[in-house]
Amino acid sequence: MTARQDTAERILDAAADLFATHGYASTTTRAIAERAGVNEVTLFRRFENKIGVLRALGERMAGRQAGRAAAAAPPSGDVRSTLLGFARMEIAGALEDGGMALRLAFEAASVPEVAEVLGAGAPGNLAGLAEYMAEQQRAGVLRDDVDSRVMAEAFFGLTSSYVMYRQVMGAADVPADVQTDTGIEQLFDIFWSGASADKEQRDE
């Protein structure tokens, strides 16, 4: 990573922390720069303004989304492993960005630029994964009696609930193994048992 890239990442990390704590509207570019340990001019040179920072954060979040990864996935191979990898990536990214994402989701109703950035990400994520699901349905790997968008929504329902429960409700009463990668795979298997075209796998 170059010094320029490192500076940009520090600014984005600082903005994510402040947006999660204070919200987008109440966070100033000066506060972001101070948190990042740079001057405000540096922030403006990298991102132009606060919405530029927000858009860069949206792009960073999108880079960890299953829909974008699906577009680059090989057309064949181990679909179960590929989808499990998407689930792990989605959960890891959501756990990292979740505090900011939750705060911004509430602000989207009243702050147009937040609605613009968030609104550009979620539909694309769903559409990208739904297209991947449709390809696997045509290949006979996934059952084809379920709409591919519904299947994608079921996938995100599991990954989102995993994150939301921990961030909104806490995880004190969740068994320790469910908080690990093993737990993520067990949750994914709930999805896979219903999505796979192999009836024997669904009946196990």
Side-chain angles (χ1 to χ4, degrees):
M1 181 181 291
T2 67
R4 181 182 179 85
Q5 290 171 325
D6 179 64
T7 298
E9 285 300 308
R10 283 193 288 119
I11 292 171
L12 293 179
D13 289 342
D17 288 343
L18 290 169
F19 291 167
T21 304
H22 304 293
Y24 174 83
S26 298
T27 298
T28 64
T29 52
R30 176 175 293 182
I32 295 170
E34 288 176 354
R35 175 71 66 91
V38 300
N39 60 51
E40 207 170 358
V41 172
T42 299
L43 183 150
F44 293 143
R45 285 176 178 165
R46 298 289 191 277
F47 300 103
E48 295 188 1
N49 49 33
K50 188 168 70 166
I51 193 171
V53 174
L54 180 64
R55 288 186 178 125
L57 280 171
E59 183 65 22
R60 187 167 78 170
M61 291 168 64
R64 295 195 284 257
Q65 291 178 339
R68 179 172 292 191
S76 61
D78 188 340
V79 175
R80 180 189 179 280
S81 294
T82 299
L83 285 171
L84 176 58
F86 292 166
R88 288 173 172 149
M89 180 179 63
E90 278 277 332
I91 288 170
L95 287 171
E96 183 172 338
D97 298 322
M100 175 186 67
L102 284 173
R103 187 67 181 253
L104 293 179
F106 284 112
E107 277 194 293
S110 58
V111 183
E113 54 263 47
V114 174
E116 173 197 337
V117 171
L118 291 188
N125 193 21
L126 177 63
L129 186 61
E131 177 55 32
Y132 179 82
M133 299 289 195
E135 290 174 3
Q136 303 312 318
Q137 288 174 320
R138 291 190 290 269
V141 179
L142 298 178
R143 56 190 294 186
D144 61 5
D145 60 333
V146 177
D147 185 275
S148 62
R149 288 180 65 88
V150 173
M151 196 171 285
E153 288 174 354
F155 175 92
F156 288 129
L158 281 174
T159 58
S160 298
S161 63
Y162 183 94
V163 175
M164 290 291 289
Y165 184 79
R166 279 150 185 75
Q167 295 193 331
V168 176
M169 304 298 293
D173 297 327
V174 178
D177 61 342
V178 178
Q179 300 181 51
T180 67
D181 192 61
T182 299
I184 294 172
E185 184 165 2
Q186 290 171 345
L187 284 173
F188 173 79
D189 280 338
I190 295 171
F191 166 81
W192 183 253
S193 67
S196 171
D198 188 335
K199 186 177 186 303
E200 290 184 359
Q201 289 186 0
R202 295 209 307 271
D203 291 342
E204 286 179 355

